[in-house]
Amino acid sequence: TQLLEQSPQFLSIQEGENLTVYCNSSSVFSSLQWYRQEPGEGPVLLVTVVTGGEVKKLKRLTFQFGDARKDSSLHITAAQPGDTGLYLCAGAGAGSYQLTFGKGTKLSVIP
Amino acid sequence: EAQVTQNPRYLITVTGKKLTVTCSQNMNHEYMSWYRQDPGLGLRQIYYSMNVEVTDKGDVPEGYKVSRKEKRNFPLILESPSPNQTSLYFCASSWLQDGTYGYTFGSGTRLTVV
């Protein structure tokens, strides 16, 4: 069974600070996705990374896929209250519809 | 608008009373899936469907049934709900993007079984 460990579980920071959350596994994934879930809503896909070492940017969010495709990180620069939510990483095997989800990092950005 | 629609959003029921949570997608996706989300346990897959009339168990299928008679609909059936099925449920459908499959989730159904 492939497992994804996310850290930290909870993070509370002040507006304007930077932060990084991590997603780690002992398994290799063909791709890794990040989702953000706001209270009372379903997760929304932010990004997919598919190549080892790949870096993708989405405004103030920077996503990186590890060289060995076993881990990923999400860095947020100058966090805003609108970034508050649950961040989930999810890994996929090659050609598979099935995703393995981490348990998430709950981020609170305090104004 | 491309979306996955679940109904109802909230449901309180009693133990043993059969219920169905509906899920419909308008994106012509082949793959659909049901998850439950519980504090400390994350998202756990209940059932999934690769196409019409093709369904398979996920990680926590006990106490649930599904059907896929047409591409757009994937209802979740609880024949005899129990309190341990109190949870937040999500339906998702999947499409191919960047060589892998991205999920679109519904807004969720919060079920309470008393």
Side-chain angles (χ1 to χ4, degrees):
Chain A
T1 303
Q2 297 176 310
L3 292 174
L4 279 167
E5 300 284 341
Q6 289 191 242
S7 60
Q9 273 190 281
F10 303 95
L11 188 55
S12 182
I13 62 169
Q14 294 291 133
E15 181 176 358
E17 291 183 351
N18 302 332
L19 66 110
T20 302
V21 299
Y22 300 92
C23 175
N24 295 295
S25 176
S26 58
S27 302
V28 175
F29 292 98
S30 66
S31 65
L32 203 132
Q33 301 174 354
W34 285 91
Y35 292 79
R36 180 169 67 209
Q37 183 180 10
E38 298 186 16
E41 296 297 328
V44 175
L45 180 64
L46 296 174
V47 77
T48 301
V49 284
V50 296
T51 305
E54 181 177 4
V55 176
K56 279 192 174 178
K57 292 193 174 185
L58 188 65
K59 296 183 181 177
R60 294 175 294 99
L61 279 60
T62 301
F63 305 86
Q64 184 161 9
F65 201 11
D67 290 341
R69 290 185 287 127
K70 292 182 178 182
D71 55 83
S72 182
S73 64
L74 158 59
H75 181 80
I76 302 179
T77 303
Q80 304 292 311
D83 296 326
T84 293
L86 179 69
Y87 288 82
L88 296 161
C89 66
S96 173
Y97 278 110
Q98 296 293 84
L99 289 180
T100 298
F101 281 89
K103 293 181 180 179
T105 294
K106 190 170 184 179
L107 171 65
S108 297
V109 182
I110 303 162
Chain B
E1 180 189 353
Q3 60 186 0
V4 175
T5 303
Q6 289 179 234
N7 281 296
R9 286 294 304 269
Y10 301 92
L11 180 58
I12 301 174
T13 191
V14 296
T15 299
K17 185 177 181 182
K18 181 179 178 180
L19 67 92
T20 299
V21 183
T22 64
C23 174
S24 180
Q25 52 99 359
N26 61 1
M27 297 166 281
N28 202 37
H29 289 165
E30 291 183 345
Y31 180 91
M32 297 184 74
S33 182
W34 276 102
Y35 288 84
R36 60 178 290 174
Q37 188 175 39
D38 302 287
L41 297 177
L43 280 165
R44 294 180 293 168
Q45 191 180 49
I46 303 170
Y47 268 95
Y48 64 96
S49 171
M50 300 291 285
N51 213 325
V52 175
E53 302 292 1
V54 180
T55 63
D56 211 343
K57 296 177 180 178
D59 298 318
V60 289
E62 292 77 23
Y64 304 94
K65 284 175 57 177
V66 293
S67 69
R68 188 91 182 272
K69 293 185 170 57
E70 49 190 343
K71 203 172 196 178
R72 63 183 294 121
N73 295 322
F74 190 43
L76 179 69
I77 303 154
L78 285 72
E79 294 270 359
S80 182
S82 63
N84 65 11
Q85 292 178 298
T86 291
S87 187
L88 180 58
Y89 290 87
F90 289 102
C91 179
S93 70
S94 181
W95 80 102
L96 183 63
Q97 179 192 43
D98 293 332
T100 188
Y101 296 94
Y103 283 22
T104 298
F105 284 86
S107 296
T109 296
R110 186 167 290 281
L111 172 65
T112 302
V113 183
V114 298

